[in-house]
Amino acid sequence: MTQLDRRTVIAGAVAAPMAGGAGGALAQSPRIPLIATEEAYATPELMAQLDAGPPGMTQAEKTYTTLLRSGTAPGASELNRKLCSMEARLAEMDANGVDMHLLSITIPGPQAFPPQEGARIARSLNDGLAEIIRAHPTRFAGLAAIAPQNPEASVAEIERARKDLALNGVIINSHSFGEYLDEAKFRPILAALEAQDMPLYLHPRSPSQAMIGPYENYGLSGALWGYGADCSMHLLRMIFGGVFDDFPRLKVVLGHMGEGIPYYFTRVDNRYRNLMARGGEKLGLKPLRQLPSEYFKSNVYITTSGTFSHKVLGYCLDILGAERILFAIDYPYERSDEAVRFIRTAPLSTADAEQICFRNAQAVFRIKYSAPSRI
Ligand code: MN
């Protein structure tokens, strides 16, 4: 559909009542399938290993873990059960009409451990994940975990995840021991992702120790703000570090409607152009082949995880297009019913709704899903 058509649909919906499922394409028949693409899981073994406070875990994550996931915190046992139990997950999916979860290891995953141990944990998690998917191939797909602090093992694991385990991409929970993916040591990982056509889900975690200072008050280090601040900076480091000039076919997926970056396109492009016209190299800027926002529009996909606002969705749709947006919940940290209500009532054309709800997930992550026959 054209931009104009899309605006008309959105504008038309503004006048219509939004509550009670009115207006959204998903409220119509036939029902559009839902593939949710940022859905966290864990294993009891990993939770126990994280409880021991491995060296790559930030202080903020230790506090967060204690608050949200340790056995003594209110609601923690429920959260742990939802992370670890596939039965509980399937029940919640069924209750909310979610067809598939693309599973990914919860933060910080293997990135919290020393290089050898991290690589071992990643392999074991991926073997287990492939087993879960084999047991429920119509309900689950999965992203491979890697330990980027061990680049050599990560390259081998990306290849194994694609060729032997048929996993659908790779998750990296932002920085590894405070290091970001634009750094030279990680180039072999980016090359392997591109060569294997494995999309990278760049998922947030708490800011690195070098960044954490002012986030340490008022709970700012977590999902409230710090996660997005760190993850958006991570993606900007990749853009400005020339990663997408070196790896033009690398696909990166960001949650939370692009971690705020689409809102800053004009500002970032404008400042980049301005600085480069005044000798920006002296400030450390690198000459890039495209404008920063152009890399975002050609290499990055965004998901709706934890950002259940029709206005934000409409804005992203307008500047990125429906082919760049994927549905996600952020189970179990966000409510499935809220996420599903949001997407079911979104003022979208049927074609856009289909792309966002399942077709883009099929295409980007090679998810084998056959839609139920339409009557
Ligand atoms: Mn998440």
Side-chain angles (χ1 to χ4, degrees), residues 17 68 77 83 94 108 149 151 191 274 303:
L68 283 186
S77 61
L83 280 167
D94 289 342
Q149 63 274 30
N274 187 292
T303 79

Side-chain angles (χ1 to χ4, degrees), residues 38-40 104 107 201 203-204 256 305 330-331 333:
E38 188 197 304
E39 313 314 322
S104 51
I107 59 164
Y201 206 117
H203 184 278
H256 315 100
S305 58
D330 206 356
Y331 174 96
Y333 302 108

Side-chain angles (χ1 to χ4, degrees), residues 249-271:
R249 289 176 292 113
L250 180 64
K251 294 176 188 158
V252 177
V253 183
L254 290 180
H256 315 100
M257 295 287 194
E259 307 293 355
I261 296 173
Y263 188 77
Y264 286 91
F265 277 176
T266 311
R267 174 85 169 145
V268 172
D269 284 352
N270 175 30
R271 288 294 94 191

